[in-house]
């Protein structure tokens, strides 16, 4: 493909100009993330790309210069592959302007939008074209799209793939919205077989429908009752069935928002067998745990659910050993009314956590507590997601890459205030929590984002 990658739409003002001899921008600092570690460097940018990385003191000349403070680190912009923007159709929940503004404020420079909960869902060409029409004039960061795999649209997948969607999402149980029905296990196999013909990936919400149907129903304000309504077994069973179908078809598949640590041995085994399977987890599964969630606190409701602290520790181990490939937000906002805040009924409340602006700080705070470096966090949230979805110019601060960058102050602490977050509905389970790491500036293709 020609560069920039045609699958992501640039925000207004981030287009490339004609090549010039002079650099457009130089960023200098003692702490520059590079593939060789965090070092003192000068980064030269021309026409939206990184064209020079030189030792600090080289005095690269440019039309504009940014000098980093001693407490700032320049990192690649994050690539968030799991974002529900909901526009068109449910813009009271979220929209491209608010979601991408929040992304930029959190150091995220590329998002890939999920095919639901917009109306129409992105399951055919007209729906994709409509979504792009809404995204282009509003986006503060680069935006790409997932397609949907739903009953009856097998014949639409190839055209969506050719038009540049990153792959296809399916649910193995009721998605929560009528416009996006689930696939049964046999249909999943047919869809996987179809996708092998052009090597597209199926991304899967892996909870088994029958297991959920037979579990106790979520009702009332008790979190542990809600947790029992989405048992690990439902996730484990769905993942086991998916793995075997990947084995039979040779297809590529990706497990979304893994929460059950029980499934990790199966995933390890599948990867050891050479199956083309990747896995993500989310900040909420890595930073929160069931034992601390108050009854009635529906801001914490998501599906699959936040599980116990011992489960969380095993997810961290799986990240470190590569069983889990990367981290995505699963930013899934709704209106405050749909969260049933007055009653706190987990059976009624919409399931979803809006955290795109906080993801980097959340993971960094927890990673640092565990003795892990910022380089590791960048790998999980920028480099690996970009590689997984096939964005060759994203996710690294390196020569030839897009100048998608964030100025991050890792030691600066702040207290989360939902009213100051940019996503549309001011609700977060992290309200009042103290986090480390503040994004001070964000650049998309060399242009500073004014969010």
């Amino acid at each position: 493909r020609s560069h920039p990658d045609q699958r992501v739409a640039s925000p207004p003002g981030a287009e490339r100009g004609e090549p010039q001899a002079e650099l457009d921008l130089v960023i200098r600092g003692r702490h520059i993330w590079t593939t060789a570690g965090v070092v003192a460097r000068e980064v030269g940018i021309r026409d939206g790309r990184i064209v020079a990385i030189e030792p600090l003191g080289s005095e690269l000349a440019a039309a504009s210069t940014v000098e980093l403070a001693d407490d700032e680190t320049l990192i690649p912009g994050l690539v968030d592959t799991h974002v529900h923007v909901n526009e068109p159709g449910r813009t009271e929940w979220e929209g491209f302007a608010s979601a991408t503004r929040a992304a930029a404020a959190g150091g995220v420079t590329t998002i890939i939008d999920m095919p639901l909960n917009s109306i129409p869902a992105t399951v055919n060409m007209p729906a994709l074209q409509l979504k792009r029409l809404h995204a282009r004039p509003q986006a503060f960061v680069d935006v790409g799209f997932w397609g949907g795999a739903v009953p009856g649209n097998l014949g639409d997948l190839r055209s969506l793939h050719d038009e540049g969607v990153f792959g296809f999402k399916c649910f193995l149980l009721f998605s929560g919205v009528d416009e996006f029905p689930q696939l049964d296990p046999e249909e999943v196999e047919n869809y996987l077989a179809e996708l092998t013909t052009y090597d597209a990936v199926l991304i899967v919400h892996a909870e088994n429908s029958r297991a959920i149907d037979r579990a106790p129903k979520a009702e009332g304000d008790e979190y542990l009752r809600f947790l029992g309504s989405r048992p690990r077994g439902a996730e484990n069973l769905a993942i086991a069935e998916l793995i075997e179908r990947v084995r039979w078809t040779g297809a590529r598949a990706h497990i979304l928002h893994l929460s059950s640590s029980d499934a990790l041995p199966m995933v390890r085994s599948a990867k050891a067998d050479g199956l083309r399977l990747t896995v993500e987890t989310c900040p909420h599964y890595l930073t929160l745990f069931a034992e601390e969630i108050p009854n009635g606190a529906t801001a914490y409701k998501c599906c699959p659910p936040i599980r116990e602290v011992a489960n969380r520790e095993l997810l961290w181990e799986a990240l470190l050993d590569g069983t889990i490939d990367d981290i995505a937000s699963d930013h899934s906002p709704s209106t405050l009314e749909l969260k049933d805040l007055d009653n706190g009924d987990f059976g009624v409340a919409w399931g979803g956590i809006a955290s795109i602006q906080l993801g980097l700080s959340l993971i960094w705070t927890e990673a640092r507590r565990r003795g892990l470096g910022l380089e590791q966090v960048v790998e999980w949230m920028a480099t690996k997601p970009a590689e997984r979805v096939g964005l060759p110019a994203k996710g690294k601060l390196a020569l030839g890459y897009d100048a998608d960058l964030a100025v991050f102050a890792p030691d600066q602490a702040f207290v989360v205030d939902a009213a100051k977050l940019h996503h549309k509905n001011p609700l977060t389970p992290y309200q009042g929590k103290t986090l480390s790491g503040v994004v001070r500036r964000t650049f998309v293709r060399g242009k500073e984002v004014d969010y």
Side-chain angles (χ1 to χ4, degrees):
R1 298 174 189 272
S2 62
H3 193 84
D5 192 302
Q6 296 303 304
R7 296 180 296 168
V8 291
S10 309
E15 297 80 6
R16 302 182 191 288
E18 290 301 310
Q20 304 161 8
E22 185 185 43
L23 296 171
D24 302 321
L25 174 66
V26 168
I27 303 177
R28 296 191 182 95
R30 291 172 50 203
H31 307 288
I32 307 285
W33 183 100
T34 69
T35 52
V38 175
V39 288
R41 289 289 185 270
E42 299 184 3
V43 179
I45 296 159
R46 183 189 300 128
D47 297 336
R49 297 179 89 172
I50 297 167
V51 296
I53 302 174
E54 300 292 343
L56 190 63
S58 299
E59 298 300 322
L60 291 175
S64 181
T65 303
V66 171
E67 305 273 355
L68 298 185
D70 285 347
D71 68 337
E72 293 175 340
T73 301
L74 188 69
I75 64 171
L78 306 189
V79 176
D80 192 339
T81 59
H82 193 151
V83 182
H84 293 270
V85 177
N86 309 333
E87 185 173 3
R90 287 193 176 92
T91 51
E92 70 277 14
W93 295 19
E94 190 70 286
F96 282 104
S98 51
T100 58
R101 180 184 279 119
V108 177
T109 52
T110 302
I111 68 166
I112 307 183
D113 170 63
M114 283 290 166
L116 71 165
N117 303 302
S118 54
I119 303 172
T122 316
V123 295
N124 54 39
M125 281 292 291
L128 176 64
Q129 289 162 347
L130 181 63
K131 195 168 263 201
R132 281 183 169 159
L133 201 64
H134 282 267
R136 278 202 177 100
Q138 298 189 73
F140 286 81
V141 302
D142 281 356
V143 178
F145 301 95
W146 294 108
V150 298
N153 86 325
L154 194 66
D156 293 293
L157 302 188
R158 183 62 196 252
S159 60
L160 285 167
H161 170 79
D162 290 347
E163 188 59 27
V165 300
F166 283 82
F168 299 92
K169 180 177 190 176
C170 73
F171 275 76
L172 305 182
L173 78 171
F174 177 55
S175 70
V177 293
D178 293 334
E179 320 84 55
F180 204 91
Q182 72 203 56
L183 295 180
D184 68 36
E186 286 65 41
E187 286 176 308
V188 168
E189 193 173 336
N190 294 337
Y191 279 64
L192 284 169
E194 163 71 15
L195 296 181
T196 58
T197 64
Y198 36 94
D199 203 33
V201 65
L202 187 70
I203 65 173
V204 182
H205 181 122
E207 288 181 287
N208 180 275
S209 182
R210 290 179 67 197
I212 297 288
D213 288 345
R214 292 179 178 229
K217 293 291 170 270
E219 52 189 17
D221 67 355
E222 218 180 307
Y223 183 76
L224 291 182
R225 183 180 178 113
F226 166 63
L227 187 58
S229 76
R230 313 289 293 215
R232 295 177 191 220
E235 225 177 325
N236 306 338
L237 184 55
I239 289 170
E241 291 190 336
L242 175 66
I243 285 171
E244 294 316 302
R245 286 173 170 82
V246 169
R247 194 186 305 279
W248 302 336
T249 59
R252 293 168 58 209
H254 175 74
I255 296 167
L256 298 164
H257 47 48
L258 180 75
S259 83
S260 170
S261 62
D262 292 354
L264 293 169
M266 287 188 286
V267 172
R268 285 191 184 100
S269 173
K271 287 188 166 195
D273 288 348
L275 272 61
R276 297 195 297 163
L277 184 73
T278 52
V279 184
E280 73 186 42
T281 193
C282 307
H284 36 280
Y285 304 128
L286 295 167
T287 60
L288 303 172
F289 50 90
E291 292 90 338
E292 71 171 0
I293 297 177
N295 288 339
T298 52
Y300 290 82
K301 180 180 175 179
C302 58
C303 300
I306 296 158
R307 303 193 190 278
E308 301 82 358
V309 68
N311 183 87
R312 180 184 75 167
E313 298 311 299
L314 291 169
L315 294 179
W316 273 99
E317 286 180 20
L319 264 173
L320 286 165
D321 71 20
T323 306
I324 297 174
D325 295 88
D326 53 51
I327 300 169
S329 69
D330 191 10
H331 178 76
S332 185
S334 71
T335 62
L336 301 184
E337 290 75 19
L338 283 172
K339 276 293 191 180
D340 195 44
L341 299 173
D342 292 339
N343 300 314
D345 188 332
F346 284 98
V348 172
W350 175 260
I353 288 176
S355 65
I356 192 167
Q357 188 171 335
L358 298 173
L360 175 57
S361 302
L362 288 164
I363 296 300
W364 167 236
T365 301
E366 189 65 29
R368 182 153 80 165
R369 192 173 73 77
R370 295 165 184 272
L372 303 173
L374 184 58
E375 297 94 322
Q376 180 69 82
V377 172
V378 169
E379 187 177 332
W380 287 328
M381 302 186 78
T383 310
K384 284 190 169 181
E387 289 171 351
R388 172 168 59 79
V389 300
L391 283 174
K394 306 288 190 189
K396 288 182 183 177
L397 198 166
L399 291 176
Y401 278 69
D402 286 343
D404 296 348
L405 305 164
V407 176
F408 187 59
D411 296 326
Q412 184 179 345
F414 69 102
V415 176
V416 176
D417 179 355
K420 293 180 178 175
L421 300 176
H422 290 297
H423 68 258
K424 189 168 282 187
N425 288 281
L427 181 69
T428 171
Y430 304 104
Q431 177 71 17
K433 292 187 187 295
T434 301
L435 301 178
S436 295
V438 172
V439 174
R440 292 182 179 165
R441 305 172 79 169
T442 300
F443 298 82
V444 175
R445 302 182 197 260
K447 303 285 187 185
E448 185 162 7
V449 183
D450 180 13
Y451 52 78

